[in-house]
mmCIF file of all heavy atoms in Angstrom:
data_model
loop_
_atom_site.group_PDB
_atom_site.id
_atom_site.type_symbol
_atom_site.label_atom_id
_atom_site.label_comp_id
_atom_site.label_asym_id
_atom_site.label_seq_id
_atom_site.Cartn_x
_atom_site.Cartn_y
_atom_site.Cartn_z
ATOM 1 N N VAL A 16 -8.820 53.241 -54.692
ATOM 2 C CA VAL A 16 -7.567 52.788 -55.280
ATOM 3 C C VAL A 16 -6.425 53.356 -54.438
ATOM 4 O O VAL A 16 -6.470 54.507 -54.001
ATOM 5 C CB VAL A 16 -7.454 53.188 -56.768
ATOM 6 C CG1 VAL A 16 -7.386 54.695 -56.931
ATOM 7 C CG2 VAL A 16 -6.259 52.534 -57.428
ATOM 8 N N ILE A 18 -2.383 54.193 -54.339
ATOM 9 C CA ILE A 18 -1.236 54.395 -55.211
ATOM 10 C C ILE A 18 -0.075 54.980 -54.421
ATOM 11 O O ILE A 18 -0.269 55.518 -53.328
ATOM 12 C CB ILE A 18 -1.579 55.300 -56.407
ATOM 13 C CG1 ILE A 18 -1.988 56.717 -55.952
ATOM 14 C CG2 ILE A 18 -2.661 54.680 -57.277
ATOM 15 C CD1 ILE A 18 -2.195 57.702 -57.092
ATOM 16 N N SER A 19 1.112 54.878 -54.982
ATOM 17 C CA SER A 19 2.304 55.420 -54.307
ATOM 18 C C SER A 19 2.388 56.932 -54.547
ATOM 19 O O SER A 19 1.719 57.483 -55.427
ATOM 20 C CB SER A 19 3.560 54.735 -54.836
ATOM 21 O OG SER A 19 3.824 55.168 -56.159
ATOM 22 N N PHE A 20 3.248 57.584 -53.786
ATOM 23 C CA PHE A 20 3.472 59.025 -53.899
ATOM 24 C C PHE A 20 3.977 59.370 -55.299
ATOM 25 O O PHE A 20 3.487 60.304 -55.928
ATOM 26 C CB PHE A 20 4.487 59.463 -52.834
ATOM 27 C CG PHE A 20 4.706 60.938 -52.766
ATOM 28 C CD1 PHE A 20 3.837 61.746 -52.061
ATOM 29 C CD2 PHE A 20 5.789 61.526 -53.404
ATOM 30 C CE1 PHE A 20 4.026 63.119 -51.988
ATOM 31 C CE2 PHE A 20 5.987 62.897 -53.323
ATOM 32 C CZ PHE A 20 5.115 63.683 -52.629
ATOM 33 N N ALA A 21 4.937 58.592 -55.814
ATOM 34 C CA ALA A 21 5.487 58.845 -57.151
ATOM 35 C C ALA A 21 4.431 58.674 -58.240
ATOM 36 O O ALA A 21 4.357 59.456 -59.185
ATOM 37 C CB ALA A 21 6.678 57.928 -57.411
ATOM 38 N N GLU A 22 3.569 57.659 -58.095
ATOM 39 C CA GLU A 22 2.493 57.437 -59.076
ATOM 40 C C GLU A 22 1.508 58.611 -59.074
ATOM 41 O O GLU A 22 0.975 58.974 -60.115
ATOM 42 C CB GLU A 22 1.760 56.135 -58.771
ATOM 43 C CG GLU A 22 2.565 54.884 -59.072
ATOM 44 C CD GLU A 22 1.928 53.615 -58.544
ATOM 45 O OE1 GLU A 22 1.156 53.678 -57.543
ATOM 46 O OE2 GLU A 22 2.192 52.553 -59.134
ATOM 47 N N SER A 23 1.280 59.209 -57.910
ATOM 48 C CA SER A 23 0.352 60.339 -57.832
ATOM 49 C C SER A 23 0.903 61.554 -58.578
ATOM 50 O O SER A 23 0.138 62.358 -59.100
ATOM 51 C CB SER A 23 0.056 60.728 -56.374
ATOM 52 O OG SER A 23 1.154 61.399 -55.786
ATOM 53 N N LEU A 24 2.211 61.673 -58.670
ATOM 54 C CA LEU A 24 2.824 62.805 -59.357
ATOM 55 C C LEU A 24 2.851 62.611 -60.874
ATOM 56 O O LEU A 24 2.648 63.564 -61.620
ATOM 57 C CB LEU A 24 4.242 63.044 -58.848
ATOM 58 C CG LEU A 24 4.364 63.429 -57.366
ATOM 59 C CD1 LEU A 24 5.802 63.613 -56.980
ATOM 60 C CD2 LEU A 24 3.557 64.696 -57.066
ATOM 61 N N ARG A 25 3.076 61.384 -61.334
ATOM 62 C CA ARG A 25 3.194 61.165 -62.774
ATOM 63 C C ARG A 25 1.915 60.632 -63.411
ATOM 64 O O ARG A 25 1.770 60.644 -64.623
ATOM 65 C CB ARG A 25 4.379 60.261 -63.080
ATOM 66 C CG ARG A 25 4.249 58.845 -62.620
ATOM 67 C CD ARG A 25 5.432 57.970 -63.068
ATOM 68 N NE ARG A 25 5.289 56.631 -62.570
ATOM 69 C CZ ARG A 25 5.821 56.161 -61.453
ATOM 70 N NH1 ARG A 25 6.590 56.945 -60.735
ATOM 71 N NH2 ARG A 25 5.622 54.932 -61.072
ATOM 72 N N GLY A 26 0.960 60.131 -62.607
ATOM 73 C CA GLY A 26 -0.276 59.555 -63.156
ATOM 74 C C GLY A 26 -0.044 58.111 -63.594
ATOM 75 O O GLY A 26 1.093 57.681 -63.761
ATOM 76 N N LEU A 27 -1.115 57.357 -63.752
ATOM 77 C CA LEU A 27 -1.007 55.961 -64.173
ATOM 78 C C LEU A 27 -2.341 55.446 -64.634
ATOM 79 O O LEU A 27 -3.394 56.052 -64.378
ATOM 80 C CB LEU A 27 -0.481 55.090 -63.018
ATOM 81 C CG LEU A 27 -1.463 54.705 -61.912
ATOM 82 C CD1 LEU A 27 -1.096 53.340 -61.390
ATOM 83 C CD2 LEU A 27 -1.439 55.702 -60.799
ATOM 84 N N THR A 28 -2.320 54.318 -65.313
ATOM 85 C CA THR A 28 -3.527 53.579 -65.672
ATOM 86 C C THR A 28 -3.506 52.302 -64.854
ATOM 87 O O THR A 28 -2.510 51.581 -64.866
ATOM 88 C CB THR A 28 -3.572 53.268 -67.171
ATOM 89 O OG1 THR A 28 -3.543 54.505 -67.887
ATOM 90 C CG2 THR A 28 -4.819 52.505 -67.544
ATOM 91 N N THR A 29 -4.575 52.024 -64.128
ATOM 92 C CA THR A 29 -4.624 50.874 -63.250
ATOM 93 C C THR A 29 -5.865 50.047 -63.527
ATOM 94 O O THR A 29 -6.876 50.577 -63.992
ATOM 95 C CB THR A 29 -4.582 51.298 -61.760
ATOM 96 O OG1 THR A 29 -4.512 50.154 -60.940
ATOM 97 C CG2 THR A 29 -5.766 52.132 -61.375
ATOM 98 N N MET A 31 -9.053 47.895 -62.160
ATOM 99 C CA MET A 31 -9.896 47.837 -60.981
ATOM 100 C C MET A 31 -10.957 46.774 -61.159
ATOM 101 O O MET A 31 -11.530 46.639 -62.247
ATOM 102 C CB MET A 31 -10.580 49.190 -60.736
ATOM 103 C CG MET A 31 -9.624 50.298 -60.410
ATOM 104 S SD MET A 31 -10.503 51.816 -59.994
ATOM 105 C CE MET A 31 -11.118 51.376 -58.388
ATOM 106 N N GLN A 109 -10.120 49.318 -66.876
ATOM 107 C CA GLN A 109 -8.914 50.158 -66.816
ATOM 108 C C GLN A 109 -9.361 51.574 -66.413
ATOM 109 O O GLN A 109 -10.306 52.116 -66.990
ATOM 110 C CB GLN A 109 -8.232 50.218 -68.182
ATOM 111 C CG GLN A 109 -7.738 48.894 -68.696
ATOM 112 C CD GLN A 109 -6.446 48.466 -68.060
ATOM 113 O OE1 GLN A 109 -5.676 49.288 -67.584
ATOM 114 N NE2 GLN A 109 -6.200 47.181 -68.038
ATOM 115 N N VAL A 110 -8.678 52.146 -65.429
ATOM 116 C CA VAL A 110 -8.993 53.499 -64.967
ATOM 117 C C VAL A 110 -7.731 54.344 -65.048
ATOM 118 O O VAL A 110 -6.673 53.939 -64.574
ATOM 119 C CB VAL A 110 -9.536 53.476 -63.506
ATOM 120 C CG1 VAL A 110 -9.747 54.874 -62.978
ATOM 121 C CG2 VAL A 110 -10.823 52.688 -63.433
ATOM 122 N N ARG A 111 -7.852 55.524 -65.656
ATOM 123 C CA ARG A 111 -6.721 56.453 -65.781
ATOM 124 C C ARG A 111 -6.752 57.401 -64.589
ATOM 125 O O ARG A 111 -7.736 58.133 -64.373
ATOM 126 C CB ARG A 111 -6.821 57.234 -67.093
ATOM 127 C CG ARG A 111 -5.738 58.269 -67.278
ATOM 128 C CD ARG A 111 -4.422 57.647 -67.678
ATOM 129 N NE ARG A 111 -3.383 58.677 -67.663
ATOM 130 C CZ ARG A 111 -2.186 58.509 -67.127
ATOM 131 N NH1 ARG A 111 -1.863 57.371 -66.591
ATOM 132 N NH2 ARG A 111 -1.304 59.460 -67.162
ATOM 133 N N ILE A 112 -5.663 57.388 -63.795
ATOM 134 C CA ILE A 112 -5.491 58.313 -62.679
ATOM 135 C C ILE A 112 -4.589 59.435 -63.196
ATOM 136 O O ILE A 112 -3.450 59.176 -63.587
ATOM 137 C CB ILE A 112 -4.837 57.614 -61.457
ATOM 138 C CG1 ILE A 112 -5.587 56.337 -61.062
ATOM 139 C CG2 ILE A 112 -4.709 58.586 -60.301
ATOM 140 C CD1 ILE A 112 -6.981 56.551 -60.568
ATOM 141 N N PRO A 113 -5.071 60.674 -63.222
ATOM 142 C CA PRO A 113 -4.259 61.766 -63.794
ATOM 143 C C PRO A 113 -3.073 62.158 -62.911
ATOM 144 O O PRO A 113 -3.088 61.948 -61.711
ATOM 145 C CB PRO A 113 -5.255 62.917 -63.906
ATOM 146 C CG PRO A 113 -6.282 62.645 -62.849
ATOM 147 C CD PRO A 113 -6.358 61.148 -62.729
ATOM 148 N N ALA A 114 -2.070 62.736 -63.551
ATOM 149 C CA ALA A 114 -0.900 63.243 -62.828
ATOM 150 C C ALA A 114 -1.318 64.370 -61.888
ATOM 151 O O ALA A 114 -2.189 65.173 -62.231
ATOM 152 C CB ALA A 114 0.150 63.740 -63.818
ATOM 153 N N GLY A 115 -0.733 64.420 -60.705
ATOM 154 C CA GLY A 115 -1.000 65.480 -59.747
ATOM 155 C C GLY A 115 -2.181 65.226 -58.838
ATOM 156 O O GLY A 115 -2.582 66.104 -58.093
ATOM 157 N N VAL A 116 -2.730 64.008 -58.849
ATOM 158 C CA VAL A 116 -3.878 63.691 -58.002
ATOM 159 C C VAL A 116 -3.435 63.746 -56.535
ATOM 160 O O VAL A 116 -2.299 63.453 -56.205
ATOM 161 C CB VAL A 116 -4.454 62.303 -58.388
ATOM 162 C CG1 VAL A 116 -3.516 61.189 -58.002
ATOM 163 C CG2 VAL A 116 -5.799 62.074 -57.787
ATOM 164 N N THR A 117 -4.368 64.155 -55.660
ATOM 165 C CA THR A 117 -4.037 64.283 -54.245
ATOM 166 C C THR A 117 -4.744 63.204 -53.431
ATOM 167 O O THR A 117 -5.724 62.612 -53.890
ATOM 168 C CB THR A 117 -4.460 65.658 -53.694
ATOM 169 O OG1 THR A 117 -5.855 65.835 -53.920
ATOM 170 C CG2 THR A 117 -3.677 66.775 -54.380
ATOM 171 N N ASP A 118 -4.281 62.972 -52.222
ATOM 172 C CA ASP A 118 -4.873 61.960 -51.327
ATOM 173 C C ASP A 118 -6.312 62.365 -51.017
ATOM 174 O O ASP A 118 -6.594 63.498 -50.657
ATOM 175 C CB ASP A 118 -4.045 61.865 -50.034
ATOM 176 C CG ASP A 118 -4.543 60.755 -49.141
ATOM 177 O OD1 ASP A 118 -4.757 59.638 -49.640
ATOM 178 O OD2 ASP A 118 -4.718 61.006 -47.935
ATOM 179 N N GLN A 120 -8.782 62.537 -53.137
ATOM 180 C CA GLN A 120 -9.475 63.135 -54.287
ATOM 181 C C GLN A 120 -10.388 62.102 -54.943
ATOM 182 O O GLN A 120 -10.079 60.919 -55.017
ATOM 183 C CB GLN A 120 -8.445 63.636 -55.297
ATOM 184 C CG GLN A 120 -9.049 64.372 -56.468
ATOM 185 C CD GLN A 120 -7.990 64.990 -57.360
ATOM 186 O OE1 GLN A 120 -6.844 65.178 -56.956
ATOM 187 N NE2 GLN A 120 -8.363 65.307 -58.582
ATOM 188 N N LYS A 121 -11.566 62.569 -55.423
ATOM 189 C CA LYS A 121 -12.508 61.713 -56.127
ATOM 190 C C LYS A 121 -12.421 61.997 -57.622
ATOM 191 O O LYS A 121 -12.455 63.155 -58.033
ATOM 192 C CB LYS A 121 -13.955 61.996 -55.689
ATOM 193 C CG LYS A 121 -14.378 61.333 -54.420
ATOM 194 C CD LYS A 121 -15.854 61.551 -54.174
ATOM 195 C CE LYS A 121 -16.283 60.898 -52.882
ATOM 196 N NZ LYS A 121 -17.725 61.042 -52.661
ATOM 197 N N ILE A 122 -12.337 60.932 -58.403
ATOM 198 C CA ILE A 122 -12.306 61.053 -59.848
ATOM 199 C C ILE A 122 -13.620 60.470 -60.376
ATOM 200 O O ILE A 122 -13.951 59.324 -60.073
ATOM 201 C CB ILE A 122 -11.105 60.311 -60.444
ATOM 202 C CG1 ILE A 122 -9.812 60.898 -59.903
ATOM 203 C CG2 ILE A 122 -11.126 60.346 -61.967
ATOM 204 C CD1 ILE A 122 -8.595 60.097 -60.213
ATOM 205 N N ARG A 123 -14.344 61.255 -61.151
ATOM 206 C CA ARG A 123 -15.636 60.818 -61.693
ATOM 207 C C ARG A 123 -15.433 60.256 -63.101
ATOM 208 O O ARG A 123 -14.850 60.890 -63.958
ATOM 209 C CB ARG A 123 -16.599 61.990 -61.752
ATOM 210 C CG ARG A 123 -17.923 61.651 -62.350
ATOM 211 C CD ARG A 123 -18.824 62.889 -62.358
ATOM 212 N NE ARG A 123 -20.006 62.656 -63.124
ATOM 213 C CZ ARG A 123 -20.467 63.472 -64.054
ATOM 214 N NH1 ARG A 123 -19.811 64.594 -64.327
ATOM 215 N NH2 ARG A 123 -21.561 63.184 -64.715
ATOM 216 N N ILE A 124 -15.974 59.036 -63.306
ATOM 217 C CA ILE A 124 -15.938 58.420 -64.626
ATOM 218 C C ILE A 124 -17.389 58.213 -65.042
ATOM 219 O O ILE A 124 -18.097 57.355 -64.499
ATOM 220 C CB ILE A 124 -15.148 57.091 -64.614
ATOM 221 C CG1 ILE A 124 -13.743 57.379 -64.112
ATOM 222 C CG2 ILE A 124 -15.131 56.473 -65.986
ATOM 223 C CD1 ILE A 124 -12.916 56.162 -63.825
ATOM 224 N N VAL A 142 -14.000 57.166 -58.268
ATOM 225 C CA VAL A 142 -12.793 56.498 -57.764
ATOM 226 C C VAL A 142 -12.170 57.410 -56.718
ATOM 227 O O VAL A 142 -11.816 58.554 -57.009
ATOM 228 C CB VAL A 142 -11.794 56.217 -58.910
ATOM 229 C CG1 VAL A 142 -10.535 55.572 -58.370
ATOM 230 C CG2 VAL A 142 -12.433 55.357 -59.982
ATOM 231 N N ILE A 143 -12.056 56.904 -55.486
ATOM 232 C CA ILE A 143 -11.448 57.679 -54.404
ATOM 233 C C ILE A 143 -9.995 57.237 -54.311
ATOM 234 O O ILE A 143 -9.691 56.059 -54.110
ATOM 235 C CB ILE A 143 -12.171 57.437 -53.060
ATOM 236 C CG1 ILE A 143 -13.654 57.800 -53.210
ATOM 237 C CG2 ILE A 143 -11.518 58.228 -51.948
ATOM 238 C CD1 ILE A 143 -14.521 57.298 -52.095
ATOM 239 N N VAL A 144 -9.090 58.204 -54.481
ATOM 240 C CA VAL A 144 -7.645 57.905 -54.543
ATOM 241 C C VAL A 144 -7.021 58.068 -53.164
ATOM 242 O O VAL A 144 -7.220 59.090 -52.495
ATOM 243 C CB VAL A 144 -6.950 58.837 -55.556
ATOM 244 C CG1 VAL A 144 -5.466 58.536 -55.630
ATOM 245 C CG2 VAL A 144 -7.590 58.722 -56.925
ATOM 246 N N VAL A 146 -3.285 58.085 -51.463
ATOM 247 C CA VAL A 146 -1.859 58.178 -51.810
ATOM 248 C C VAL A 146 -1.038 57.827 -50.576
ATOM 249 O O VAL A 146 -1.183 58.451 -49.522
ATOM 250 C CB VAL A 146 -1.488 59.599 -52.304
ATOM 251 C CG1 VAL A 146 -0.017 59.703 -52.640
ATOM 252 C CG2 VAL A 146 -2.350 59.995 -53.498
ATOM 253 N N ARG A 154 4.055 67.105 -49.947
ATOM 254 C CA ARG A 154 3.382 68.016 -50.878
ATOM 255 C C ARG A 154 2.672 69.103 -50.116
ATOM 256 O O ARG A 154 2.098 68.874 -49.077
ATOM 257 C CB ARG A 154 2.327 67.257 -51.677
ATOM 258 C CG ARG A 154 2.796 66.778 -53.007
ATOM 259 C CD ARG A 154 1.703 66.058 -53.716
ATOM 260 N NE ARG A 154 0.937 66.993 -54.535
ATOM 261 C CZ ARG A 154 0.059 66.598 -55.429
ATOM 262 N NH1 ARG A 154 -0.195 65.328 -55.599
ATOM 263 N NH2 ARG A 154 -0.596 67.469 -56.146
ATOM 264 N N ASP A 157 0.362 72.133 -55.029
ATOM 265 C CA ASP A 157 1.037 71.587 -56.220
ATOM 266 C C ASP A 157 2.556 71.575 -56.083
ATOM 267 O O ASP A 157 3.270 71.293 -57.041
ATOM 268 C CB ASP A 157 0.642 72.402 -57.457
ATOM 269 C CG ASP A 157 -0.818 72.186 -57.849
ATOM 270 O OD1 ASP A 157 -1.370 71.122 -57.484
ATOM 271 O OD2 ASP A 157 -1.410 73.053 -58.495
#
Side-chain angles (χ1 to χ4, degrees):
V16 65
I18 63 174
S19 71
F20 185 83
E22 289 170 333
S23 74
L24 297 179
R25 68 175 178 265
L27 77 148
T28 300
T29 184
M31 295 186 73
Q109 299 281 336
V110 175
R111 177 77 187 134
I112 307 295
V116 70
T117 58
D118 185 47
Q120 185 173 341
K121 278 187 181 183
I122 299 169
R123 178 179 170 229
I124 302 170
V142 179
I143 302 166
V144 181
V146 179
R154 265 180 90 168
D157 290 336

